Amino acid sequence: MKNLKNSGIEWLGEIPEHWEMVKIKYIANYKKGKNPKKYSDIPNENIYLTMEFLRKKHKKILYIEDTSDLIKVSENDILLLWDGANAGEFVLAQDGYLASTMAVINFKDIEKKYAKHFLVLIEQELRKQTNGMGIPHVNGDFFENLFFAYPPLKEQEQIANFLDEKCEKIQNFIEKKEKLLSLLQEQKQALINETITKGLDKNVKLKNSGIEWLGEIPEHWEVRKLKMLFSFGNGLNITKADFISFGIPCISYGEIHSKYPCRLDLSVHKLPFVSETYLNDKPQSLLSKGDFVFADTSEDIEGSGNFTCIQSNIPLFAGYHTIILRPKTQIYSLYFSFLFDSIFVRNQIREKVWGVKVFSITKSILKEVQCFIPPLKEQEQIANFLDKKCEKIDSLITKIKKQIELIKEYKTTLINEAVCGRINLNKG
């Protein structure tokens, strides 16, 4: 084992004595992407690389007609997601032109595969320092001044080859688990879609819904737009800087996307706080049990329409980038949680959202969404049926996600030890 020394960086730990520590600004530079003047759906060789496309979350491909002043990148170039909920994450490029929400990182005298692995450690620190008014973005100065462990080139190559082999096996395991996860999620979605449009009675008489994409629904159900069922409001116009250590809980778009989709129960879930002065200043943004809160922006099309439903009577506020829906008539809120999560409501929203950097939802879009409404008692029966069925599927999903999380933690630990020279590669 090599003799080690303190790197001087708390999150890095010890490194071999003969290694150097160098700030990123001395060994790399970055260029941010730009928005194209014009793009289209007509295929050509100039692909517009968005975060959604690279992370395989956006199947629609955009092509650029005028590439002047744009940043061209090649396959396996290292990209940094600069803006959005995942700001600070590194991904590998494909051939194309870079969106303004990303930057390409070019290293000098560094083995690219070694740099790619070391950036896994950088990413953890970088994401802690993202900032911005609502939409997070990378702090460029902080990134440039982060330290990079700099071994001799031969050792960089050895470490990269070792990690490529190990990480490939780990990734194969993760992909199998993610495929199973995807199948379970599809099973759950199919169950919701079928039950929420046809009900529980297989012998019920059907009628034409009057909606081309929906087809038939039970004869005694109604079709109504959301504006007939709900009143609409906005969350607080605040930023992360307005959060305090105690006060009134506040749900913003980030928690809706990543932590508490579909349901929020403050007896179980934890949120940041805002000042109690908002009780007097912005009472219209205070939420009640049964209210719905939609995120009004999303970094990918799949997240358009993400929402949560308030399950407890504890006072809380809707925060930034949110739209509030308050029932104007008696409904069974759990039924509407499943309805809003169905593909039929989601697709109506996705057809109307707009934005290049982010996908934005407006109250006008939500007001025109059409819903199918069973009688109140039937809403309750459908919701309780789906709740029991989905609970079993969710239990399996949670178990698989935990397995994926544990293997990813092992991968991060392995990379950490290897890129810091604390593994004897001759013994594997």
Side-chain angles (χ1 to χ4, degrees):
M1 188 69 182
K2 305 180 184 73
N3 292 327
L4 301 177
K5 66 180 179 182
N6 190 327
S7 67
I9 310 299
E10 184 179 354
W11 53 267
L12 194 60
E14 294 184 317
I15 60 172
E17 280 185 334
H18 64 289
W19 286 21
E20 298 178 36
M21 293 297 300
V22 183
K23 287 186 176 182
I24 285 180
K25 64 183 176 182
Y26 297 123
I27 57 171
N29 58 65
Y30 67 86
K31 291 182 181 179
K32 287 194 66 181
K34 299 180 180 180
N35 287 327
K37 296 175 182 176
K38 189 176 181 181
Y39 54 82
S40 71
D41 299 328
I42 302 173
N44 62 41
E45 69 276 13
N46 304 319
I47 296 177
Y48 184 48
L49 300 179
T50 63
M51 290 188 287
E52 295 77 31
F53 175 74
L54 286 169
R55 299 173 70 202
K56 306 186 189 306
K57 285 192 172 185
H58 193 0
K59 296 178 182 178
K60 184 178 180 180
I61 301 176
L62 298 175
Y63 300 91
I64 302 171
E65 296 181 4
D66 181 0
T67 62
S68 58
D69 297 325
L70 298 183
I71 304 299
K72 192 176 190 312
V73 294
S74 302
E75 186 172 358
N76 289 326
D77 278 351
I78 299 172
L79 305 181
L80 173 58
L81 306 189
W82 202 270
D83 301 300
N86 289 86
E89 180 181 336
F90 292 92
V91 297
L92 296 180
Q94 297 184 25
D95 291 335
Y97 290 85
L98 201 57
S100 63
T101 52
M102 293 181 284
V104 58
I105 314 299
N106 296 306
F107 283 90
K108 298 172 287 185
D109 302 322
I110 296 284
E111 166 61 47
K112 183 183 288 188
K113 293 193 296 181
Y114 171 78
K116 178 191 70 174
H117 289 301
F118 190 87
L119 288 173
V120 172
L121 307 188
I122 294 285
E123 182 177 298
Q124 297 174 61
E125 297 305 308
L126 197 56
R127 297 195 66 177
K128 295 176 186 176
Q129 298 295 325
T130 56
N131 52 51
M133 300 290 286
I135 305 296
H137 63 262
V138 167
N139 183 327
D141 288 338
F142 181 82
F143 170 63
E144 288 186 314
N145 285 287
L146 282 169
F147 278 92
F148 198 95
Y150 191 49
L153 186 60
K154 184 177 180 180
E155 288 184 61
Q156 292 179 33
E157 294 171 349
Q158 290 174 334
I159 292 168
N161 291 336
F162 168 81
L163 286 174
D164 280 353
E165 179 183 350
K166 295 291 185 181
C167 289
E168 183 179 4
K169 293 177 181 178
I170 294 172
Q171 189 59 35
N172 288 338
F173 174 86
I174 291 174
E175 286 175 0
K176 288 178 182 178
K177 291 295 180 181
E178 287 179 337
K179 185 177 181 179
L180 178 57
L181 192 62
S182 179
L183 290 172
L184 286 169
Q185 289 168 334
E186 288 175 8
Q187 179 187 343
K188 177 182 174 181
Q189 193 67 60
L191 174 67
I192 292 173
N193 294 342
E194 175 67 19
T195 309
I196 215 74
T197 55
K198 305 301 181 187
L200 300 175
D201 184 357
K202 302 302 180 185
N203 299 314
V204 70
K205 192 172 182 180
L206 301 176
K207 68 177 179 181
N208 191 320
S209 66
I211 304 172
E212 182 179 355
W213 47 263
L214 177 57
E216 295 184 318
I217 60 172
E219 189 176 45
H220 60 291
W221 288 17
E222 296 180 16
V223 177
R224 302 177 75 181
K225 291 183 178 181
L226 284 183
K227 64 184 177 183
M228 305 299 295
L229 303 167
F230 295 87
S231 61
F232 291 74
N234 295 319
L236 299 174
N237 184 19
I238 58 174
T239 70
K240 288 182 180 180
D242 294 296
F243 291 144
I244 56 179
S245 56
F246 60 90
I248 305 297
C250 183
I251 176 75
S252 297
Y253 84 116
E255 288 90 10
I256 293 173
H257 283 308
S258 62
K259 293 183 179 179
Y260 312 125
C262 299
R263 303 182 206 179
L264 173 65
D265 185 349
L266 281 183
S267 64
V268 178
H269 303 140
K270 304 298 181 185
L271 291 171
F273 299 97
V274 294
S275 171
E276 293 184 3
T277 59
Y278 289 111
L279 291 172
N280 296 321
D281 299 340
K282 302 289 183 181
Q284 67 274 17
S285 296
L286 196 64
L287 300 168
S288 302
K289 185 176 181 180
D291 287 349
F292 290 85
V293 188
F294 279 76
D296 74 2
T297 58
S298 171
E299 69 173 30
D300 54 53
I301 194 69
E302 284 77 11
S304 298
N306 281 356
F307 70 94
T308 196
C309 179
I310 308 306
Q311 303 287 299
S312 59
N313 288 309
I314 301 171
L316 78 152
F317 279 105
Y320 54 93
H321 286 293
T322 61
I323 298 173
I324 302 167
L325 275 65
R326 293 189 173 94
K328 294 195 293 188
T329 185
Q330 191 175 12
I331 64 168
Y332 195 72
S333 62
L334 184 57
Y335 168 81
F336 275 82
S337 287
F338 285 115
L339 177 61
F340 290 160
D341 200 30
S342 71
I343 195 66
F344 306 102
V345 168
R346 294 266 185 182
N347 277 350
Q348 290 181 75
I349 295 172
R350 289 168 183 170
E351 287 176 2
K352 298 289 178 65
V353 295
W354 56 272
V356 177
K357 291 185 179 181
V358 293
F359 295 86
S360 301
I361 298 172
T362 64
K363 285 187 284 187
S364 297
I365 289 173
L366 289 176
K367 285 179 180 180
E368 296 302 314
V369 169
Q370 298 188 87
C371 296
F372 13 99
I373 317 298
L376 189 62
K377 184 63 178 177
E378 196 172 350
Q379 291 180 32
E380 181 179 357
Q381 291 170 344
I382 290 171
N384 291 340
F385 168 81
L386 285 173
D387 204 31
K388 290 179 181 178
K389 292 288 187 180
C390 291
E391 184 179 8
K392 294 178 181 179
I393 299 174
D394 286 339
S395 179
L396 290 172
I397 288 174
T398 299
K399 183 178 179 181
I400 294 169
K401 283 183 175 179
K402 184 63 177 177
Q403 292 174 342
I404 294 173
E405 181 184 332
L406 289 173
I407 194 65
K408 284 183 176 179
E409 288 176 1
Y410 167 73
K411 178 183 176 182
T412 299
T413 300
L414 180 69
I415 292 172
N416 192 321
E417 294 298 299
V419 298
C420 293
R422 296 193 291 264
I423 291 180
N424 187 339
L425 300 186
N426 294 325
K427 294 184 179 180

